[in-house]
Amino acid sequence: MQKIILPIMIFAIEFSAITASANSTEPLQTAFAMKIDTIGKMYQQDVNNQGQDYPVVLQQYASPELQAAMQLEQAYFDREQMSCHIGYDVLWSSQDPDYEQDKQFSVTTQGLVKVSLAQGDEVYYKLSCDSVDNKAACQVTDVILDEAGTSLREYLQKNCR
């Protein structure tokens, strides 16, 4: 009898561990899906409006901290009559975006949403997601501009004072 019980107990323990492991990844997968969905909607809106939204589409999806940095850029321009921005459309990593180009969305091991553009560039987004009143919402907290990790928010805060 003990020979039968031991394998059943081991199976039950292993099954519980596998189930617990699978259940712990579900919230992570949901968060990744929410992040990709948010960035996908942002790009689709920019495609639909050919980059002509005001405020710009990124600002519409931005967290209050990123919006504040973007406001510094506008205030600098109003005051100095010159720009302090990056010099290109950060969504498309281009001065003259091709809105019809293919793009692929994925999530990095650091939890950033990576947008791979057909032209060969990659743009990375940091997002924060919350569930309020049973509605999930994500906001872009920063855009990572290059492989060196240059932060759009930090760039604007430094250069637009």
Side-chain angles (χ1 to χ4, degrees):
M1 185 76 167
Q2 282 184 326
K3 291 181 181 178
I4 295 173
I5 293 176
L6 187 58
I8 291 173
M9 286 177 53
I10 291 173
F11 174 75
I13 292 169
E14 287 177 354
F15 181 75
S16 295
I18 291 169
T19 303
S21 175
N23 289 341
S24 68
T25 61
E26 286 177 19
L28 194 57
Q29 290 172 340
T30 300
F32 289 170
M34 288 171 37
K35 289 178 177 184
I36 288 175
D37 184 56
T38 299
I39 297 300
K41 286 178 182 175
M42 183 176 72
Y43 271 84
Q44 189 57 53
Q45 180 179 334
D46 208 45
V47 167
N48 292 346
N49 299 321
Q50 298 289 295
Q52 298 301 309
D53 281 342
Y54 187 83
V56 295
V57 71
L58 177 59
Q59 194 167 3
Q60 294 175 38
Y61 285 80
S63 68
E65 296 81 11
L66 182 55
Q67 287 179 359
M70 294 174 83
Q71 287 297 328
L72 286 174
E73 176 184 8
Q74 184 60 48
Y76 184 92
F77 182 80
D78 292 345
R79 183 178 66 247
E80 304 293 331
Q81 294 301 300
M82 57 190 290
S83 181
C84 62
H85 66 74
I86 296 293
Y88 59 89
D89 186 327
V90 296
L91 267 68
W92 302 96
S93 193
S94 173
Q95 287 183 340
D96 188 22
D98 173 7
Y99 296 102
E100 301 304 317
Q101 70 180 293
D102 289 333
K103 54 206 153 302
Q104 298 207 342
F105 306 94
S106 59
V107 178
T108 68
T109 55
Q110 296 84 18
L112 302 175
V113 175
K114 174 180 161 184
V115 180
S116 301
L117 301 167
Q119 70 195 33
D121 289 325
E122 295 172 338
V123 184
Y124 297 87
Y125 296 90
K126 286 185 182 179
L127 287 97
S128 163
C129 300
D130 291 315
S131 182
V132 178
D133 298 328
N134 291 331
K135 285 192 155 194
C138 295
Q139 295 181 322
V140 177
T141 59
D142 206 354
V143 182
I144 306 304
L145 302 170
D146 54 34
E147 290 185 17
T150 304
S151 158
L152 174 64
R153 185 175 43 80
E154 290 174 6
Y155 176 91
L156 295 173
Q157 288 171 337
K158 178 183 174 189
N159 293 294
C160 298
R161 293 265 173 205

